[in-house]
Amino acid sequence: FSPGLLVVAGSFAAFRLLNRGLERLVPPPPSARRNRWKWRNIWTSLAHSVLSGGGALAGFYLHPELSKDLVGTHPPGAHSLVAVSVGYFLEDFVDMLCNQKLHQSWELLFHHSVVIVCFGIAVLLHQYVGFALVALLVEINSIFLHLRQILLMANLVHTTCYRLNSIINLGTYVVFRIATLAWMTRWLLLNRQNVPPATYAVGTVGMAIMTPMNIILFYRLLRSDFFK
């Protein structure tokens, strides 16, 4: 039994409670009232992105040894942050499964399954925490992805705020999503001899799935916000 599992369970419960209470904290505008669960879901995701993305940056700043050893170094705070993210992805998985049709959410459900398995290994084995923290840098871009969805649901597409967010979104997408995933893939290939075969296989499959998914999403964003 790993204490990290308690953090996962606590995180799941906390994000579930946040999801239930968000409609009172951030009431949906008239344009979003037909899809209340989605409004709550996006705000919950935004909260996780701010926490995990900011936490990942702070983790590398406070523990520079993490960047030198992505496998064995596991400061308690960094390990807990990865466990918190597992709890969030489990909560989001359940939320989508209960409120959205499978054909509308299968891509995200598949994405979450891969992340839960990969992060779960780091939490249980107390290894690859640094690697998981690198993956959480992606959440910095997710902040602006979620803000984009909120602005869309609030019917604020034709505003300066939306336009500015679109530019920042694409910029952070390239830096914190595409470049980060490319670096992670390179690290896996260069360190193949130092990673157990099973873990290497999980990591390779994860990268093979995430990379094309993110390239396709980048194309969709570019087409929707700039070449529509």
Side-chain angles (χ1 to χ4, degrees):
F1 179 77
S2 168
L5 293 178
L6 288 176
V7 180
V8 171
S11 170
F12 178 90
F15 278 109
R16 201 72 187 144
L17 286 171
L18 178 65
N19 186 291
R20 295 291 176 87
L22 264 170
E23 202 163 327
R24 294 179 183 177
L25 294 171
V26 192
S31 56
R33 285 174 190 163
R34 288 184 301 174
N35 205 351
R36 291 175 181 271
W37 89 265
K38 186 67 176 175
W39 180 258
R40 295 193 307 270
N41 179 274
I42 295 169
W43 276 100
T44 306
S45 299
L46 177 61
H48 168 258
S49 294
V50 171
L51 174 66
S52 57
L57 279 177
F60 282 114
Y61 176 76
L62 295 172
H63 303 283
E65 67 274 14
L66 271 168
S67 58
K68 298 173 184 176
D69 180 12
L70 298 180
V71 179
T73 305
H74 51 89
H79 181 265
S80 295
L81 183 65
V82 177
V84 165
S85 286
V86 174
Y88 159 74
F89 283 112
L90 283 168
E91 189 279 330
D92 200 45
F93 188 98
V94 171
D95 194 40
M96 285 190 291
L97 209 57
C98 293
N99 293 289
Q100 202 170 28
K101 293 178 180 177
L102 190 60
H103 71 87
Q104 294 175 313
S105 61
W106 71 268
E107 287 182 38
L108 273 176
L109 290 174
F110 190 55
H111 167 274
H112 284 16
S113 301
V114 173
V115 173
I116 290 165
V117 170
C118 293
F119 281 19
I121 290 172
V123 171
L124 290 172
L125 300 184
H126 287 261
Q127 288 188 311
Y128 309 101
V129 171
F131 193 76
L133 221 62
V134 172
L136 283 177
L137 291 175
V138 167
E139 292 299 322
I140 293 169
N141 167 249
S142 294
I143 293 170
F144 302 100
L145 272 176
H146 298 319
L147 282 173
R148 178 182 181 274
Q149 287 181 293
I150 289 167
L151 291 169
L152 280 169
M153 289 194 74
N155 204 19
L156 296 171
V157 180
H158 305 293
T159 61
T160 304
C161 185
Y162 182 88
R163 193 68 178 171
L164 181 62
N165 184 74
S166 295
I167 294 168
I168 298 171
N169 184 29
L170 280 187
T172 55
Y173 200 104
V174 172
V175 175
F176 289 107
R177 194 171 286 267
I178 293 177
T180 298
L181 288 172
W183 186 90
M184 290 170 70
T185 304
R186 178 179 175 274
W187 185 91
L188 268 177
L189 293 172
L190 292 176
N191 291 273
R192 182 173 183 175
Q193 304 302 323
N194 304 320
V195 179
T199 307
Y200 179 79
V202 171
T204 304
V205 170
M207 292 299 103
I209 292 167
M210 298 297 183
T211 301
M213 282 181 71
N214 280 284
I215 291 171
I216 291 168
L217 180 56
F218 181 77
Y219 169 72
R220 288 175 181 172
L221 287 169
L222 199 63
R223 185 181 63 181
S224 175
D225 288 353
F226 293 94
F227 300 119
K228 196 170 182 178

